[in-house]
């Protein structure tokens, strides 16, 4: 699917949940869908900063430049065992088995 972003939900996330992109609440159906494999599918590509080169790190360290690249964050808020939980998703499938509790 060209021009889309697919982010897998951690196993501990179940409905009902809220999805935020850069802190803005998203609407299921228009902003994203949930596929049968328990993943969020956005109809556009979400920007991800990526790795910084050694030269870029050096320029940041020396105060010559900063990191002003576009980077969109996706957070899913739900309840696990009666406690509020926020899962931060990335396109790299690396979700902690233990959720961050808020």
């Amino acid at each position: 699917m060209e021009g889309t972003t697919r982010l897998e939900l951690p196993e501990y996330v179940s409905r009902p949940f809220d999805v935020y992109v850069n802190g803005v609440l998203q609407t299921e159906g228009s902003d994203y869908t949930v596929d049968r494999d328990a993943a969020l599918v956005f109809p556009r590509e979400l920007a991800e900063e990526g790795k910084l080169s050694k030269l870029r790190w050096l320029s940041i360290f020396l105060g010559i430049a900063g990191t002003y690249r576009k980077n969109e964050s996706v957070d899913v808020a739900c309840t696990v065992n009666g406690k509020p939980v926020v899962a931060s998703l990335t396109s790299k499938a690396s979700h902690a088995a233990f959720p961050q509790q808020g």
Side-chain angles (χ1 to χ4, degrees):
M1 295 170 146
E2 192 171 304
T4 63
T5 301
R6 184 177 185 278
L7 300 173
E8 292 185 34
L9 289 169
E11 290 181 16
Y12 57 83
V13 173
S14 62
R15 291 185 185 269
F17 56 77
D18 291 322
V19 176
Y20 297 86
V21 174
N22 298 331
V24 178
L25 182 63
Q26 304 296 294
T27 304
E28 186 173 357
S30 59
D31 296 321
Y32 72 93
T33 57
V34 181
D35 70 11
R36 62 183 165 198
D37 296 325
L40 301 177
V41 179
F42 294 87
R44 63 186 181 92
E45 290 185 44
L46 297 177
E48 197 170 34
E49 183 175 33
K51 292 184 82 172
L52 297 176
S53 68
K54 290 179 183 179
L55 181 60
R56 186 72 174 180
W57 273 113
L58 178 62
S59 64
I60 292 169
F61 179 74
L62 296 175
I64 299 169
T67 60
Y68 302 106
R69 298 177 185 174
K70 190 170 182 180
N71 187 39
E72 296 180 289
S73 63
V74 178
D75 298 310
V76 178
C78 65
T79 303
V80 176
N81 297 326
K83 296 183 180 184
V85 173
V86 175
S88 296
L89 307 183
T90 63
S91 61
K92 312 208 179 7
S94 58
H95 302 297
F98 188 71
Q100 176 185 11
Q101 297 186 7

